[in-house]
Amino acid sequence: MKSNRYTEWITLVLFLFAGAIHAEKVQKLERDKKTQARNVIFILTDDHRYDYMGFTGKVPWLKTPNMDRLASEGVYFRNTFVTTSLCSPSRASILTGQYSHCHTIVDNVAPNPGNLVFFPQYLQQAGYQTSFFGKWHMGDHNDQPRPGFNHWESFKGQGKYYNPKLNIDGKHVQYKDSTYVTDLLTDHAIDWLENRDKEKPFFMYLSHKAVHASFQPAKRHRGVYKGKKIKLPATFDQTKNGAYRDLKWPEWVKNQRVSWHGVDYMYHGNHDMNEMIQKYCETLLGVDESVGRVLQFLEENGLDESTMVIYMGDNGFSWGEHGLIDKRHFYEESVKVPFLVRCPELTSGGMVDERMIQNIDVAPTILDLAGLSKPSYMVGNSFIPLLSNENSAWRNRIFYEYYWEYDFPMTPTVFGVRTDRYKYIRYHGIWDRNELYDIKNDPDEMYNIIDKPENQKLVKKLVNDLYGWLEDSDGMQIPLKRTVKYRFGDYKHKKQY
């Protein structure tokens, strides 16, 4: 008993000490009182690639009327990218406005270092009431309330599509009777909106589990797309028929075809890709309905003109491109995400902006909407000027990083830089070929032109840009962590440390 009390006391002291360290990191941001403190709803989905929405026409039979509405009544940023195409790093970048090598949550198991500040903490300072609903999965798997949110509802890790257990402000509630998580989170989010303090501005973060594998649509959507198929991507067969060699693709891409993230052994099973895509799209229907319910609430309560609604995916998803599924790599379908912004008081409807947005821009933008300047450590920028000024200065390239994971050793560490025309991909710790694509003339990233003599000056320039970015942002050290376990995704070397 004495030992247990001692342990509890030490745990409490460490918790309070960690909180003190955390508090010291929170800067005092002065608010511009001339700026209206605007309400914001941020909706995040999981693994939703940028072109799987009805209005893009990528999948002719996919219907997403509410996402289509966001696009038709707001701005569709067609070229939006994550800095790391993986759940936890991307979510940490959204909340901190930092690159992965800065916040150090470089994969799905890397711990929160304990000194991170999430932008809703600054909103609280400015008088906002804030709430979080859904998937956190950033730094660890626990569901305990995090700093920055007056109201908290989450679940452990990836959660479950049916009958989830939610941690609601520190208390666990188990749901039954085939409760569907997308509907449940939306119900609770709207209930919070209805019962909020009407005298304060609000920020709501609705973070869906969908559309993460294993895909499970709501019962009402099961079979809606049964038998539907997609047109196979142009780069589907090359790692099977050997054509990848003449196209100068890296060998690791070919090897990954028969792996957890490859089309011929996806998730270590004999799955039919079209059937999986059907379930993926059926699962997405619940998210689209959630968006519609949020918009309906805003309209019915006179908030639809002034509230900014942002819809985003945490990373993209490959469906057969280069013989791959899932994410992590720096090909377009993996790194690009949907990004829709609606606020009639600030935006004209039906705008399509080609400039490159990144997940690190979310935090500075929402702080800007509250009249707050971004903290000095945030590397992203507010995109609010882009909503009204087509000639606003903006970035002309984006950078990418992905760090090799012990559980999924098939994908190497990746660094990259992308301009509006070229993409350079550099691999680390593997004996293989790097890549250069002219994405303007080769949008499928079919022809690796890195060896062409006429491109060597360009390659050197992009390499220097890449290292300049890493050096300027303290990114020249790859974060390591203790890993003593079997590799979850390595079927070739089972039960090996």
Side-chain angles (χ1 to χ4, degrees), residues 131-195:
S131 60
F132 181 88
F133 298 88
K135 178 179 174 179
W136 181 259
H137 194 223
M138 194 195 77
D140 56 42
H141 289 274
N142 84 66
D143 56 11
Q144 294 300 311
R146 302 308 204 275
F149 299 100
N150 301 106
H151 181 73
W152 173 269
E153 299 193 20
S154 188
F155 43 75
K156 292 183 178 180
Q158 298 287 357
K160 297 179 179 180
Y161 277 107
Y162 282 92
N163 300 329
K165 177 188 286 187
L166 296 185
N167 183 321
I168 302 178
D169 290 330
K171 296 182 179 180
H172 286 102
V173 179
Q174 176 67 60
Y175 292 87
K176 300 179 180 179
D177 301 323
S178 297
T179 301
Y180 190 59
V181 69
T182 304
D183 296 341
L184 179 67
L185 294 174
T186 307
D187 289 343
H188 288 194
I190 291 176
D191 182 68
W192 181 82
L193 288 172
E194 288 176 338
N195 293 285

Side-chain angles (χ1 to χ4, degrees), residues 2 21 30 33 47 52 105 142-143 161-162 165 176 216 218 243 278-279 282 293 297 312 358 371 376 389 428 472:
K2 188 174 182 179
I21 294 175
E30 294 299 324
K33 295 182 180 180
D47 289 0
Y52 269 52
I105 300 179
N142 84 66
D143 56 11
Y161 277 107
Y162 282 92
K165 177 188 286 187
K176 300 179 180 179
Q216 293 185 44
Q278 293 159 23
K279 290 182 179 179
E282 289 170 358
R293 292 181 61 194
F297 171 86
M312 184 183 187
Q358 289 201 274
S376 56
N389 183 356
H428 180 88
D472 291 345

Side-chain angles (χ1 to χ4, degrees), residues 200-408:
K200 294 181 179 180
F202 67 82
F203 169 71
M204 188 179 82
Y205 192 138
L206 177 53
S207 180
H208 287 297
K209 170 182 171 56
V211 284
H212 195 282
S214 298
F215 316 113
Q216 293 185 44
K219 287 184 177 181
R220 63 187 178 277
H221 296 139
R222 289 177 183 172
V224 168
Y225 294 132
K226 184 177 181 179
K228 297 292 187 181
K229 296 183 178 181
I230 66 162
K231 180 182 178 181
L232 291 178
T235 56
F236 185 83
D237 286 323
Q238 288 79 358
T239 53
K240 187 173 185 177
N241 61 27
Y244 77 96
R245 296 186 183 90
D246 292 334
L247 297 170
K248 310 296 184 182
W249 295 1
E251 196 69 21
W252 76 262
V253 177
K254 179 260 183 184
N255 292 336
Q256 193 169 129
R257 187 181 184 95
V258 186
S259 78
W260 182 269
H261 294 141
V263 294
D264 289 346
Y265 197 26
M266 58 179 69
Y267 303 132
H268 291 178
N270 296 317
H271 301 290
D272 179 273
M273 193 177 77
N274 275 301
E275 289 182 1
M276 298 207 38
I277 292 173
Q278 293 159 23
K279 290 182 179 179
Y280 177 88
C281 291
E282 289 170 358
T283 303
L284 188 62
L285 294 180
V287 174
D288 188 72
E289 289 182 356
S290 172
V291 171
R293 292 181 61 194
V294 170
L295 293 177
Q296 181 181 359
F297 171 86
L298 294 177
E299 187 172 359
E300 291 175 349
N301 289 271
L303 298 168
D304 57 315
E305 295 291 312
S306 60
T307 301
M308 177 166 284
V309 178
I310 303 173
Y311 178 88
M312 184 183 187
D314 68 345
N315 48 249
F317 202 88
S318 290
W319 279 121
E321 291 85 359
H322 293 88
L324 305 175
I325 64 163
D326 213 85
K327 56 257 188 183
R328 293 171 169 82
H329 41 276
F330 192 32
Y331 298 131
E332 291 287 278
E333 64 281 348
S334 169
V335 73
K336 290 179 77 169
V337 295
F339 201 80
L340 305 169
V341 179
R342 182 189 185 276
C343 184
E345 288 185 352
L346 295 179
T347 66
S348 299
M351 292 175 56
V352 178
D353 198 306
E354 301 288 346
R355 284 168 288 195
M356 292 182 282
I357 303 291
Q358 289 201 274
N359 51 354
I360 52 174
D361 299 327
V362 172
T365 297
I366 295 177
L367 292 180
D368 191 8
L369 290 168
L372 301 171
S373 298
K374 70 177 183 179
S376 56
Y377 60 82
M378 286 189 179
V379 293
N381 296 298
S382 169
F383 57 76
I384 296 303
L386 305 188
L387 301 179
S388 57
N389 183 356
E390 294 185 2
N391 296 317
S392 297
W394 197 247
R395 65 171 62 91
N396 60 10
R397 60 203 59 223
I398 59 106
F399 296 97
Y400 182 78
E401 59 186 330
Y402 164 80
Y403 296 94
W404 176 87
E405 297 173 89
Y406 181 82
D407 276 325
F408 300 102

Side-chain angles (χ1 to χ4, degrees), residues 39 84 198 206 240 266 297 320 400 435 454 464:
N39 299 324
T84 301
K198 307 296 192 300
L206 177 53
K240 187 173 185 177
M266 58 179 69
F297 171 86
Y400 182 78
E435 296 171 273
E454 63 269 26
N464 279 310

Side-chain angles (χ1 to χ4, degrees), residues 67-125:
M67 295 178 198
D68 297 359
R69 178 185 172 188
L70 284 179
S72 66
E73 297 179 358
V75 182
Y76 171 40
F77 286 96
R78 193 198 304 270
N79 290 308
T80 300
F81 304 85
V82 292
T83 55
T84 301
S85 183
L86 193 61
C87 295
S88 292
S90 179
R91 290 162 187 268
S93 292
I94 288 169
L95 280 159
T96 65
Q98 295 178 299
Y99 298 118
S100 296
H101 62 257
C102 296
H103 58 63
T104 73
I105 300 179
V106 295
D107 59 28
N108 287 342
V109 295
N112 184 330
N115 62 351
L116 300 181
V117 180
F118 309 131
F119 75 82
Q121 293 176 258
Y122 296 114
L123 296 180
Q124 287 180 315
Q125 282 186 358

